[in-house]
Amino acid sequence: MTDPLAFFSSTPDGFVAEHFAISRWSPDMVNGAALCGLVARALERAHGGAGFVPARLTVDLFKPARTTPLTARTTLVRDGNRIRVADAELVQDGEVVVRAGAVFLRPSEQPPGDVWSRDHRPSPPPEHIAQVASDSSHPYFGSDDHPNGWSQSMLEHQGASRKRMWAQHLPVVAGEEPSPFARAAMAGEPTSLMTNWGTAGVGFINVDMTLVLARLPEGVEVGIEADDHISSDGVAVGTTTMYDRRGPIGTCVVSALANARRQVDFGEQGVFALPEQG
């Protein structure tokens, strides 16, 4: 039987992790992108709509989520005329393993005047690089030192230069098309990878993610480009700019802890290989 091209399957017992939800840190852990997509889905379904758009998502990844079923629950914190706030939790075996908070805002017209913004804007891959549904599990990676800019080999981009990622993300739940908000949540979580990935691989594991959006992504592909990495005494902060083919859409920030004993070195055989289906 072929595993579905999705992070989770919905079952009577909860959401069950599929092949592509497994973390590179451990074979019985669920990866952060899958968890961020799942809480974004829960928050948007319960509290989105009615003229509001998601503007911020903060996810706390404080306890490893295993491959047993997960359930989601949400709480409306405030429902105002222009600002709506909601919380969510992912529960596993009776314990909360992930918590999240979202802010939904009501769009309006832009105020007058010019405001400073940075000159550099990330660029997507050339138009001929377009992923199809069957290839959505294989993102493109880019780095400043790569001679061709983009490729699907992680090994080619292991170095000390700025990194970026361009991906069409898997559905959160099998049989469902991911919403733009869920796509943004899944795209933002690899901020840890893009900002903590150096010459020896990745030695930090992120404990949270905060995604702030000026607008939702358009189309099925979303990119992130590293803006900065700051670390000291085993604690790191990483920031990225998120973008689609129209331009920047927002910013993502993560904090991370050193995990050197489980360093993920993409130069080691098999580490950078994606799971086989079957």
Side-chain angles (χ1 to χ4, degrees):
M1 182 176 179
T2 301
D3 292 321
L5 280 173
F7 283 128
F8 298 96
S9 289
S10 181
T11 75
D13 296 324
F15 299 101
V16 176
E18 295 293 346
H19 213 49
F20 288 98
I22 304 304
S23 171
R24 283 190 175 92
W25 295 108
S26 173
D28 68 340
M29 282 177 56
V30 178
N31 66 53
L35 297 169
C36 289
L38 192 59
V39 292
R41 173 188 180 274
L43 285 161
E44 185 176 35
R45 285 188 164 216
H47 306 293
F52 285 85
V53 297
R56 178 177 62 79
L57 173 67
T58 298
V59 183
D60 294 322
L61 303 163
F62 54 83
K63 183 177 175 63
R66 305 299 178 181
T67 52
T68 54
L70 286 155
T71 57
R73 61 193 185 199
T74 70
T75 304
L76 181 63
V77 177
R78 182 183 188 274
D79 192 9
N81 291 328
R82 302 183 66 191
I83 303 173
R84 180 180 294 168
V85 181
D87 291 339
E89 294 176 331
L90 296 182
V91 181
Q92 189 170 68
D93 298 325
E95 292 188 53
V96 176
V97 295
V98 175
R99 69 178 183 183
V103 174
F104 298 85
L105 302 179
R106 190 180 297 279
S108 61
E109 64 183 72
Q110 286 281 92
D114 297 325
V115 180
W116 176 89
S117 63
R118 58 184 296 178
D119 292 332
H120 173 75
R121 288 289 184 265
S123 299
E127 288 284 352
H128 71 269
I129 294 181
Q131 293 168 287
V132 296
S134 61
D135 196 36
S136 58
S137 60
H138 292 67
Y140 281 88
F141 298 94
S143 55
D144 289 352
D145 286 348
H146 192 278
N148 298 318
W150 295 91
S151 77
Q152 290 181 296
S153 168
M154 298 188 76
L155 177 59
E156 293 180 6
H157 298 279
Q158 183 151 297
S161 68
R162 179 201 296 259
K163 296 174 179 63
R164 53 195 64 87
M165 180 176 175
W166 183 259
Q168 176 180 331
H169 294 82
L170 292 170
V172 180
V173 176
E176 298 179 2
E177 184 69 16
S179 71
F181 182 42
R183 290 187 193 278
M186 292 184 286
E189 194 276 339
T191 289
S192 184
L193 173 61
M194 292 299 99
T195 58
N196 293 316
W197 182 8
T199 57
V202 180
F204 289 94
I205 185 169
N206 61 307
V207 298
D208 60 23
M209 178 201 76
T210 296
L211 168 68
V212 186
L213 296 170
R215 64 176 177 87
L216 289 170
E218 298 176 4
V220 297
E221 296 168 300
V222 187
I224 56 173
E225 180 177 273
D227 286 330
D228 206 358
H229 164 95
I230 303 169
S231 61
S232 178
D233 299 324
V235 176
V237 176
T239 55
T240 59
T241 294
M242 303 188 64
Y243 61 106
D244 57 16
R245 290 203 177 272
R246 181 179 146 196
I249 64 172
T251 298
C252 191
V253 59
V254 299
S255 55
L257 285 170
N259 201 28
R261 288 182 297 177
R262 292 187 177 183
Q263 183 92 7
V264 176
D265 185 347
F266 300 108
E268 295 178 356
Q269 184 176 3
V271 172
F272 57 87
L274 290 162
E276 296 292 335
Q277 296 183 67

